[in-house]
Amino acid sequence: MTTSTRPTLAVPSAATGLLAAATALIAVGISFADDLSTPAFIALICADLLIVLAMGALIGASVVTNRTAEAEAEAARLRRDLETLDALEPLGAPETGGRR
């Protein structure tokens, strides 16, 4: 039976896309609001920075998840290879005293 070892990144990708859209909306709001007070402007900038930090955290988490999944797949492949070699060991050529 063949199973796929590709990790799924649907949730982090969707969340990163939504956060990118939120960042764009804040940037548009800042550019069109000429009469914003200083505290409101600073609040929008801080919200934008927090969203960018959240995007970085999501991307970092997905990278760690990918590396963990790849390491697990490699360990499983190595284990299967060793089991196959152990199963094939009795089929080897008989010892002939060093000569064939």
Side-chain angles (χ1 to χ4, degrees):
M1 181 170 99
T2 304
T3 58
S4 174
T5 58
R6 290 181 65 189
T8 58
L9 296 175
V11 174
S13 297
T16 304
L18 290 174
L19 289 174
T23 302
L25 287 175
I26 289 175
V28 167
I30 289 173
S31 66
F32 286 137
D34 293 333
D35 56 349
L36 276 179
S37 63
T38 301
F41 181 77
I42 291 173
L44 284 175
I45 295 293
C46 290
D48 204 23
L49 289 175
L50 286 174
I51 290 174
V52 169
L53 287 173
M55 285 172 39
L58 281 173
I59 292 170
S62 67
V63 167
V64 169
T65 302
N66 282 345
R67 289 187 181 161
T68 303
E70 289 172 1
E72 290 173 357
E74 182 67 23
R77 187 189 60 79
L78 180 63
R79 182 180 40 78
R80 283 192 314 270
D81 290 350
L82 289 175
E83 288 173 357
T84 302
L85 288 174
D86 288 342
L88 293 175
E89 189 173 315
L91 300 176
E95 295 288 329
T96 57
R99 292 185 153 199
R100 282 187 107 172

Coordinates of all heavy atoms in Angstrom, one line a residue:
M1 N 0.8 -1.2 0.0 CA 0.0 0.0 0.0 C 0.9 1.2 0.0 O 1.8 1.3 0.8 CB -0.9 0.0 1.2 CG -1.8 1.1 1.3 SD -3.0 0.9 2.6 CE -2.3 1.9 3.9
T2 N 0.6 2.1 -0.9 CA 1.4 3.4 -0.9 C 0.6 4.5 -0.3 O -0.6 4.7 -0.6 CB 1.6 3.7 -2.4 OG1 2.3 2.7 -3.1 CG2 2.5 5.0 -2.5
T3 N 1.3 5.2 0.6 CA 0.6 6.3 1.3 C 1.4 7.6 0.9 O 2.6 7.5 0.8 CB 0.6 6.1 2.8 OG1 1.9 6.0 3.3 CG2 -0.3 4.9 3.2
S4 N 0.7 8.7 0.9 CA 1.3 9.9 0.6 C 2.0 10.5 1.8 O 1.4 10.5 2.9 CB 0.3 10.9 0.0 OG 0.9 12.2 -0.1
T5 N 3.2 11.0 1.6 CA 3.9 11.6 2.8 C 4.0 13.1 2.6 O 4.7 13.7 3.4 CB 5.4 11.0 2.9 OG1 6.0 11.3 1.6 CG2 5.4 9.5 3.2
R6 N 3.2 13.6 1.7 CA 3.2 15.1 1.5 C 2.5 15.7 2.6 O 1.3 15.4 2.9 CB 2.6 15.5 0.2 CG 3.4 15.1 -1.0 CD 2.7 15.5 -2.3 NE 2.6 17.0 -2.3 CZ 1.9 17.6 -3.2 NH1 1.2 17.0 -4.1 NH2 1.8 18.9 -3.2
P7 N 3.1 16.7 3.3 CA 2.4 17.4 4.4 C 1.3 18.3 3.8 O 1.4 18.9 2.8 CB 3.4 18.2 5.1 CG 4.5 18.3 4.1 CD 4.4 17.1 3.2
T8 N 0.2 18.4 4.6 CA -0.9 19.3 4.1 C -0.7 20.6 4.9 O -0.5 20.7 6.1 CB -2.2 18.7 4.5 OG1 -2.3 18.5 5.9 CG2 -2.4 17.4 3.7
L9 N -0.8 21.7 4.1 CA -0.6 23.1 4.7 C -1.8 23.9 4.4 O -1.7 25.1 4.2 CB 0.7 23.7 4.1 CG 2.0 23.0 4.4 CD1 3.1 23.7 3.6 CD2 2.3 23.1 5.8
A10 N -3.0 23.4 4.4 CA -4.2 24.1 4.0 C -4.5 25.2 5.0 O -4.7 26.4 4.7 CB -5.3 23.2 3.8
V11 N -4.4 24.9 6.3 CA -4.8 25.8 7.4 C -3.8 27.0 7.5 O -4.2 28.1 7.4 CB -5.0 25.1 8.7 CG1 -5.2 26.1 9.8 CG2 -6.2 24.1 8.6
P12 N -2.5 26.7 7.6 CA -1.5 27.8 7.7 C -1.5 28.7 6.4 O -1.4 29.9 6.5 CB -0.2 27.2 7.9 CG -0.5 25.9 8.5 CD -1.8 25.4 7.9
S13 N -1.7 28.1 5.2 CA -1.7 28.8 4.0 C -2.9 29.8 4.0 O -2.8 30.9 3.6 CB -1.7 27.9 2.8 OG -0.5 27.2 2.8
A14 N -4.1 29.2 4.3 CA -5.3 30.0 4.3 C -5.2 31.2 5.4 O -5.6 32.3 5.1 CB -6.5 29.2 4.6
A15 N -4.7 30.9 6.5 CA -4.5 31.9 7.6 C -3.6 33.0 7.1 O -3.8 34.2 7.4 CB -4.1 31.2 8.9
T16 N -2.5 32.6 6.5 CA -1.5 33.5 6.0 C -2.1 34.4 5.0 O -1.8 35.6 4.9 CB -0.2 32.8 5.5 OG1 0.3 32.0 6.5 CG2 0.8 33.8 5.1
G17 N -2.9 33.8 4.1 CA -3.5 34.6 3.1 C -4.5 35.6 3.6 O -4.6 36.8 3.2
L18 N -5.3 35.2 4.6 CA -6.2 36.1 5.3 C -5.5 37.2 6.0 O -5.9 38.4 6.0 CB -7.1 35.4 6.2 CG -8.2 34.5 5.5 CD1 -8.9 33.7 6.6 CD2 -9.1 35.3 4.7
L19 N -4.4 36.9 6.7 CA -3.6 37.9 7.4 C -3.0 38.9 6.4 O -2.9 40.1 6.7 CB -2.5 37.3 8.3 CG -3.1 36.6 9.5 CD1 -2.0 35.8 10.2 CD2 -3.8 37.5 10.4
A20 N -2.6 38.4 5.2 CA -2.0 39.3 4.2 C -3.1 40.3 3.7 O -2.8 41.5 3.5 CB -1.4 38.5 3.1
A21 N -4.3 39.8 3.6 CA -5.4 40.7 3.2 C -5.7 41.7 4.3 O -6.0 42.9 4.0 CB -6.7 39.8 2.9
A22 N -5.6 41.3 5.5 CA -5.9 42.2 6.6 C -4.8 43.3 6.6 O -5.1 44.5 6.9 CB -5.9 41.5 8.0
T23 N -3.6 42.9 6.4 CA -2.5 43.9 6.3 C -2.7 44.9 5.2 O -2.5 46.1 5.3 CB -1.1 43.2 6.1 OG1 -0.9 42.3 7.2 CG2 0.0 44.1 6.1
A24 N -3.1 44.4 4.1 CA -3.4 45.3 2.9 C -4.5 46.3 3.2 O -4.5 47.4 2.9 CB -3.7 44.5 1.7
L25 N -5.6 45.8 3.9 CA -6.7 46.7 4.3 C -6.2 47.8 5.2 O -6.7 48.9 5.1 CB -7.8 45.9 4.9 CG -8.6 45.0 3.9 CD1 -9.7 44.2 4.6 CD2 -9.3 45.9 2.8
I26 N -5.4 47.4 6.2 CA -4.9 48.4 7.1 C -4.1 49.4 6.4 O -4.2 50.7 6.6 CB -4.1 47.7 8.3 CG1 -5.1 47.0 9.2 CG2 -3.3 48.8 9.1 CD1 -4.4 46.2 10.3
A27 N -3.2 49.0 5.5 CA -2.4 49.9 4.7 C -3.2 50.8 3.9 O -3.0 52.0 3.8 CB -1.4 49.1 3.8
V28 N -4.3 50.3 3.3 CA -5.2 51.2 2.5 C -5.9 52.2 3.4 O -6.0 53.4 3.1 CB -6.2 50.3 1.7 CG1 -7.4 51.2 1.1 CG2 -5.5 49.6 0.6
G29 N -6.3 51.7 4.6 CA -7.0 52.6 5.5 C -6.1 53.7 6.0 O -6.5 54.9 6.1
I30 N -4.8 53.4 6.2 CA -3.8 54.4 6.6 C -3.6 55.4 5.4 O -3.5 56.6 5.7 CB -2.5 53.8 7.0 CG1 -2.7 53.1 8.4 CG2 -1.4 54.8 7.1 CD1 -1.5 52.2 8.8
S31 N -3.5 55.0 4.2 CA -3.2 55.9 3.1 C -4.4 56.8 2.8 O -4.2 57.9 2.3 CB -2.8 55.1 1.9 OG -3.9 54.3 1.4
F32 N -5.6 56.3 3.0 CA -6.8 57.1 2.6 C -7.3 58.0 3.8 O -8.1 58.9 3.6 CB -7.9 56.3 2.1 CG -7.7 55.7 0.8 CD1 -8.0 54.4 0.5 CD2 -7.2 56.6 -0.2 CE1 -7.9 53.9 -0.8 CE2 -7.0 56.1 -1.5 CZ -7.3 54.7 -1.8
A33 N -6.8 57.8 5.0 CA -7.3 58.5 6.1 C -6.4 59.7 6.4 O -5.4 59.5 7.1 CB -7.5 57.6 7.3
D34 N -6.7 60.9 5.9 CA -5.8 62.0 6.1 C -6.0 62.7 7.4 O -5.1 63.3 7.9 CB -6.0 63.0 5.0 CG -5.6 62.5 3.6 OD1 -4.7 61.7 3.6 OD2 -6.2 63.0 2.6
D35 N -7.2 62.5 8.0 CA -7.5 63.2 9.2 C -7.4 62.3 10.4 O -8.1 62.5 11.4 CB -8.9 63.9 9.1 CG -10.0 62.9 8.8 OD1 -9.6 61.8 8.4 OD2 -11.1 63.3 8.9
L36 N -6.6 61.3 10.4 CA -6.4 60.4 11.5 C -5.6 61.2 12.6 O -4.7 61.9 12.3 CB -5.7 59.2 11.2 CG -6.5 58.0 10.6 CD1 -5.5 56.8 10.3 CD2 -7.5 57.5 11.5
S37 N -6.0 60.9 13.9 CA -5.2 61.5 15.0 C -4.0 60.6 15.1 O -3.9 59.5 14.6 CB -6.1 61.5 16.2 OG -6.4 60.2 16.6
T38 N -3.0 61.1 15.9 CA -1.8 60.4 16.1 C -2.0 59.1 16.8 O -1.4 58.1 16.4 CB -0.8 61.3 16.9 OG1 -0.6 62.5 16.1 CG2 0.5 60.6 17.1
P39 N -2.8 59.0 17.9 CA -3.0 57.7 18.5 C -3.7 56.7 17.6 O -3.3 55.5 17.6 CB -3.9 58.0 19.7 CG -3.7 59.5 20.0 CD -3.4 60.1 18.7
A40 N -4.6 57.1 16.8 CA -5.2 56.2 15.8 C -4.3 55.7 14.8 O -4.2 54.5 14.4 CB -6.4 56.9 15.1
F41 N -3.4 56.6 14.3 CA -2.4 56.2 13.3 C -1.4 55.2 13.9 O -1.1 54.2 13.3 CB -1.6 57.5 12.8 CG -0.6 57.2 11.8 CD1 -0.9 57.0 10.5 CD2 0.8 57.2 12.2 CE1 0.0 56.7 9.6 CE2 1.7 56.9 11.2 CZ 1.4 56.7 9.9
I42 N -1.0 55.5 15.2 CA -0.1 54.5 15.8 C -0.7 53.2 16.1 O -0.1 52.1 16.0 CB 0.5 55.2 17.1 CG1 1.4 56.4 16.8 CG2 1.2 54.2 18.0 CD1 1.9 57.2 17.9
A43 N -2.0 53.2 16.5 CA -2.7 52.0 16.7 C -2.8 51.1 15.4 O -2.7 49.9 15.4 CB -4.1 52.3 17.2
L44 N -3.1 51.8 14.3 CA -3.1 51.1 13.0 C -1.8 50.5 12.6 O -1.7 49.3 12.1 CB -3.7 52.0 11.9 CG -5.2 52.2 11.9 CD1 -5.5 53.2 10.8 CD2 -5.9 50.9 11.7
I45 N -0.7 51.3 12.8 CA 0.6 50.8 12.6 C 1.0 49.6 13.5 O 1.5 48.5 13.0 CB 1.7 51.9 12.7 CG1 1.5 53.0 11.7 CG2 3.1 51.3 12.7 CD1 1.7 52.5 10.3
C46 N 0.6 49.6 14.8 CA 0.9 48.5 15.7 C 0.1 47.3 15.3 O 0.6 46.2 15.3 CB 0.6 49.0 17.1 SG 1.7 50.1 17.8
A47 N -1.2 47.5 14.9 CA -2.0 46.4 14.4 C -1.4 45.7 13.2 O -1.3 44.5 13.1 CB -3.4 46.8 14.1
D48 N -0.9 46.5 12.3 CA -0.2 46.0 11.1 C 1.0 45.2 11.5 O 1.2 44.1 10.9 CB 0.1 47.2 10.2 CG 0.3 46.8 8.7 OD1 -0.3 45.8 8.4 OD2 0.9 47.5 8.0
L49 N 1.8 45.7 12.4 CA 3.0 45.0 12.8 C 2.7 43.7 13.5 O 3.3 42.6 13.3 CB 3.9 45.8 13.7 CG 4.6 47.0 13.0 CD1 5.3 47.9 14.1 CD2 5.5 46.5 12.0
L50 N 1.6 43.7 14.3 CA 1.2 42.4 15.0 C 0.7 41.4 13.9 O 1.0 40.2 14.1 CB 0.1 42.7 16.0 CG 0.5 43.4 17.2 CD1 -0.7 43.7 18.1 CD2 1.5 42.5 18.0
I51 N 0.0 41.8 12.9 CA -0.4 40.9 11.9 C 0.8 40.3 11.1 O 0.8 39.1 10.8 CB -1.4 41.6 10.9 CG1 -2.7 41.8 11.7 CG2 -1.6 40.8 9.7 CD1 -3.7 42.6 10.9
V52 N 1.8 41.2 10.8 CA 3.0 40.7 10.1 C 3.7 39.7 11.0 O 4.2 38.6 10.5 CB 3.9 41.9 9.7 CG1 5.2 41.4 9.3 CG2 3.2 42.7 8.7
L53 N 3.8 39.9 12.3 CA 4.4 39.0 13.2 C 3.6 37.6 13.3 O 4.2 36.6 13.3 CB 4.5 39.6 14.7 CG 5.5 40.6 14.9 CD1 5.4 41.3 16.3 CD2 6.9 40.1 14.7
A54 N 2.3 37.7 13.2 CA 1.5 36.5 13.2 C 1.8 35.7 11.9 O 1.8 34.5 11.9 CB 0.0 36.8 13.4
M55 N 1.9 36.4 10.8 CA 2.2 35.7 9.5 C 3.5 35.0 9.6 O 3.7 33.9 9.2 CB 2.2 36.8 8.4 CG 0.8 37.2 8.0 SD 0.8 38.6 6.8 CE 2.1 38.2 5.6
G56 N 4.5 35.7 10.2 CA 5.8 35.1 10.4 C 5.8 33.8 11.2 O 6.4 32.8 11.0
A57 N 5.0 33.9 12.3 CA 4.9 32.8 13.2 C 4.2 31.6 12.5 O 4.6 30.4 12.6 CB 4.1 33.1 14.4
L58 N 3.2 31.9 11.7 CA 2.5 30.8 10.9 C 3.4 30.2 9.9 O 3.5 28.9 9.8 CB 1.3 31.3 10.2 CG 0.0 31.5 11.1 CD1 -1.1 32.2 10.3 CD2 -0.5 30.2 11.6
I59 N 4.2 31.0 9.2 CA 5.1 30.5 8.2 C 6.2 29.6 8.9 O 6.6 28.6 8.4 CB 5.7 31.6 7.4 CG1 4.6 32.2 6.5 CG2 6.8 31.1 6.5 CD1 4.9 33.5 5.8
G60 N 6.7 30.1 10.0 CA 7.7 29.4 10.8 C 7.2 28.1 11.3 O 7.9 27.1 11.2
A61 N 6.0 28.1 11.8 CA 5.4 26.8 12.2 C 5.2 25.8 11.1 O 5.4 24.6 11.3 CB 4.0 27.1 12.9
S62 N 4.8 26.3 9.9 CA 4.6 25.4 8.8 C 6.0 24.8 8.3 O 6.0 23.7 7.9 CB 3.9 26.1 7.6 OG 4.7 27.1 7.1
V63 N 7.0 25.6 8.4 CA 8.4 25.1 8.0 C 8.8 24.0 9.0 O 9.3 23.0 8.6 CB 9.4 26.3 8.0 CG1 10.8 25.7 7.9 CG2 9.1 27.2 6.8
V64 N 8.6 24.2 10.3 CA 8.9 23.2 11.3 C 8.1 22.0 11.1 O 8.6 20.9 11.2 CB 8.7 23.8 12.7 CG1 8.8 22.7 13.8 CG2 9.7 24.9 13.0
T65 N 6.8 22.1 10.8 CA 6.0 21.0 10.5 C 6.4 20.2 9.3 O 6.5 19.0 9.3 CB 4.5 21.4 10.3 OG1 4.1 22.2 11.5 CG2 3.6 20.3 10.1
N66 N 6.8 20.9 8.3 CA 7.4 20.2 7.1 C 8.6 19.5 7.4 O 8.8 18.3 6.9 CB 7.6 21.3 6.0 CG 6.4 21.7 5.3 OD1 5.4 21.1 5.4 ND2 6.5 22.8 4.5
R67 N 9.5 20.1 8.1 CA 10.8 19.4 8.4 C 10.5 18.2 9.3 O 11.2 17.1 9.1 CB 11.8 20.4 9.1 CG 12.3 21.4 8.1 CD 13.4 22.2 8.7 NE 13.8 23.2 7.7 CZ 14.4 24.3 8.0 NH1 14.7 24.6 9.3 NH2 14.8 25.1 7.1
T68 N 9.6 18.3 10.2 CA 9.3 17.1 11.1 C 8.7 16.0 10.3 O 9.0 14.9 10.4 CB 8.3 17.6 12.2 OG1 8.9 18.6 12.9 CG2 8.0 16.4 13.1
A69 N 7.8 16.4 9.4 CA 7.1 15.3 8.5 C 8.2 14.7 7.6 O 8.1 13.5 7.4 CB 6.0 16.0 7.7
E70 N 9.1 15.5 7.1 CA 10.1 14.9 6.2 C 11.0 14.0 7.0 O 11.4 12.9 6.5 CB 11.0 16.0 5.6 CG 10.2 16.8 4.5 CD 11.0 18.0 4.0 OE1 12.1 18.2 4.5 OE2 10.5 18.7 3.2
A71 N 11.4 14.3 8.2 CA 12.2 13.5 9.1 C 11.5 12.2 9.4 O 12.1 11.1 9.4 CB 12.6 14.2 10.3
E72 N 10.2 12.3 9.7 CA 9.5 11.1 10.0 C 9.4 10.2 8.8 O 9.5 8.9 8.9 CB 8.1 11.4 10.5 CG 8.1 12.1 11.9 CD 6.7 12.6 12.3 OE1 5.8 12.5 11.5 OE2 6.6 13.1 13.5
A73 N 9.2 10.7 7.6 CA 9.1 9.9 6.4 C 10.4 9.3 6.1 O 10.5 8.1 5.7 CB 8.6 10.8 5.2
E74 N 11.5 10.0 6.3 CA 12.8 9.4 6.1 C 13.1 8.3 7.1 O 13.6 7.2 6.7 CB 13.9 10.5 6.3 CG 15.3 10.0 6.0 CD 15.6 9.6 4.6 OE1 14.8 10.1 3.7 OE2 16.5 8.9 4.4
A75 N 12.7 8.4 8.4 CA 12.9 7.4 9.4 C 12.1 6.2 9.0 O 12.5 5.0 9.2 CB 12.5 7.9 10.7
A76 N 10.8 6.4 8.6 CA 10.0 5.2 8.2 C 10.6 4.5 6.9 O 10.6 3.3 6.9 CB 8.6 5.7 7.9
R77 N 11.1 5.3 6.0 CA 11.7 4.6 4.8 C 12.9 3.8 5.2 O 13.1 2.7 4.7 CB 12.1 5.7 3.8 CG 12.6 5.1 2.5 CD 13.2 6.1 1.6 NE 14.3 6.8 2.1 CZ 15.6 6.3 2.2 NH1 15.8 5.1 1.8 NH2 16.6 7.0 2.7
L78 N 13.8 4.4 6.1 CA 14.9 3.6 6.6 C 14.6 2.4 7.3 O 15.2 1.3 7.1 CB 15.8 4.6 7.5 CG 17.0 3.9 8.0 CD1 18.0 3.6 6.9 CD2 17.7 4.9 9.0
R79 N 13.5 2.4 8.1 CA 13.0 1.3 8.8 C 12.5 0.2 7.9 O 12.9 -1.0 8.0 CB 11.9 1.6 9.8 CG 11.4 0.5 10.6 CD 10.3 0.9 11.6 NE 9.3 1.8 11.1 CZ 8.3 1.5 10.3 NH1 8.2 0.3 9.8 NH2 7.5 2.4 9.8
R80 N 11.8 0.6 6.8 CA 11.3 -0.4 5.8 C 12.4 -1.0 5.1 O 12.4 -2.2 4.8 CB 10.3 0.3 4.9 CG 8.9 0.6 5.4 CD 8.0 1.0 4.3 NE 8.5 2.0 3.4 CZ 8.3 3.3 3.6 NH1 7.7 3.8 4.6 NH2 8.8 4.2 2.7
D81 N 13.4 -0.2 4.7 CA 14.6 -0.7 4.0 C 15.3 -1.7 4.8 O 15.7 -2.8 4.3 CB 15.5 0.4 3.6 CG 15.0 1.3 2.5 OD1 13.9 1.0 1.9 OD2 15.5 2.4 2.2
L82 N 15.5 -1.4 6.1 CA 16.2 -2.4 7.0 C 15.4 -3.7 7.1 O 16.0 -4.8 7.2 CB 16.5 -1.8 8.3 CG 17.6 -0.7 8.3 CD1 17.7 0.0 9.7 CD2 18.9 -1.2 7.9
E83 N 14.1 -3.6 7.3 CA 13.2 -4.8 7.4 C 13.3 -5.6 6.1 O 13.4 -6.8 6.2 CB 11.8 -4.4 7.7 CG 11.6 -3.8 9.1 CD 10.2 -3.3 9.3 OE1 9.4 -3.3 8.3 OE2 9.9 -2.9 10.4
T84 N 13.3 -4.9 5.0 CA 13.5 -5.6 3.7 C 14.8 -6.3 3.6 O 14.9 -7.5 3.2 CB 13.3 -4.7 2.5 OG1 12.0 -4.0 2.6 CG2 13.4 -5.4 1.2
L85 N 15.9 -5.7 4.0 CA 17.2 -6.3 3.9 C 17.3 -7.5 4.9 O 17.9 -8.5 4.5 CB 18.3 -5.3 4.2 CG 18.5 -4.2 3.1 CD1 19.5 -3.2 3.6 CD2 19.1 -4.9 1.9
D86 N 16.7 -7.3 6.1 CA 16.7 -8.5 7.0 C 15.9 -9.6 6.5 O 16.3 -10.8 6.7 CB 16.1 -8.0 8.3 CG 17.0 -7.1 9.1 OD1 18.3 -7.1 8.8 OD2 16.6 -6.4 10.0
A87 N 14.8 -9.3 5.8 CA 14.0 -10.4 5.2 C 14.7 -11.1 4.0 O 14.5 -12.3 3.8 CB 12.6 -9.9 4.7
L88 N 15.5 -10.4 3.3 CA 16.2 -11.0 2.2 C 17.6 -11.6 2.6 O 18.2 -12.3 1.7 CB 16.5 -9.9 1.1 CG 15.3 -9.3 0.4 CD1 15.7 -8.1 -0.5 CD2 14.6 -10.4 -0.4
E89 N 18.0 -11.4 3.8 CA 19.3 -12.0 4.2 C 19.4 -13.5 4.0 O 20.4 -14.0 3.6 CB 19.6 -11.6 5.6 CG 21.0 -11.9 6.1 CD 21.2 -11.3 7.5 OE1 20.9 -10.2 7.7 OE2 21.8 -12.1 8.3
P90 N 18.4 -14.3 4.4 CA 18.5 -15.8 4.2 C 18.6 -16.2 2.7 O 19.0 -17.3 2.5 CB 17.2 -16.3 4.8 CG 16.7 -15.2 5.7 CD 17.2 -14.0 5.1
L91 N 18.3 -15.3 1.8 CA 18.3 -15.7 0.4 C 19.7 -15.5 -0.2 O 19.9 -15.8 -1.4 CB 17.3 -14.8 -0.4 CG 15.9 -15.0 0.0 CD1 15.0 -14.0 -0.8 CD2 15.4 -16.4 -0.2
G92 N 20.7 -15.0 0.6 CA 22.0 -14.8 0.1 C 22.7 -16.0 -0.3 O 22.3 -17.2 0.0
A93 N 23.8 -15.9 -1.1 CA 24.6 -17.0 -1.6 C 25.2 -17.8 -0.4 O 25.7 -17.1 0.6 CB 25.7 -16.6 -2.6
P94 N 25.3 -19.1 -0.5 CA 26.0 -19.8 0.6 C 27.5 -19.6 0.7 O 28.1 -19.2 -0.4 CB 25.7 -21.3 0.3 CG 25.4 -21.3 -1.2 CD 24.8 -20.0 -1.5
E95 N 28.0 -19.7 1.8 CA 29.5 -19.5 2.0 C 30.2 -20.6 1.3 O 29.9 -21.7 1.4 CB 29.8 -19.4 3.5 CG 29.2 -18.3 4.2 CD 29.9 -17.0 3.9 OE1 31.1 -17.0 3.6 OE2 29.2 -15.9 3.9
T96 N 31.3 -20.2 0.5 CA 32.0 -21.3 -0.2 C 33.5 -21.2 0.2 O 34.4 -21.5 -0.6 CB 31.9 -21.1 -1.7 OG1 32.3 -19.8 -2.1 CG2 30.4 -21.3 -2.1
G97 N 33.8 -20.7 1.3 CA 35.2 -20.6 1.8 C 35.9 -19.5 1.1 O 37.1 -19.6 0.9
G98 N 35.3 -18.4 0.7 CA 36.0 -17.3 0.2 C 36.1 -17.3 -1.3 O 36.6 -16.3 -1.9
R99 N 35.7 -18.4 -2.0 CA 35.8 -18.5 -3.5 C 34.4 -18.7 -4.0 O 33.6 -19.4 -3.4 CB 36.7 -19.6 -3.9 CG 38.1 -19.4 -3.6 CD 38.8 -20.6 -4.2 NE 40.2 -20.1 -4.5 CZ 41.0 -20.7 -5.3 NH1 40.6 -21.8 -6.0 NH2 42.2 -20.2 -5.5
R100 N 34.2 -18.2 -5.2 CA 32.9 -18.4 -5.8 C 33.0 -19.5 -6.8 O 33.9 -19.7 -7.5 CB 32.5 -17.1 -6.5 CG 31.9 -16.2 -5.5 CD 31.3 -15.0 -6.2 NE 29.8 -15.2 -6.1 CZ 29.0 -14.3 -6.5 NH1 29.4 -13.2 -7.0 NH2 27.7 -14.5 -6.4

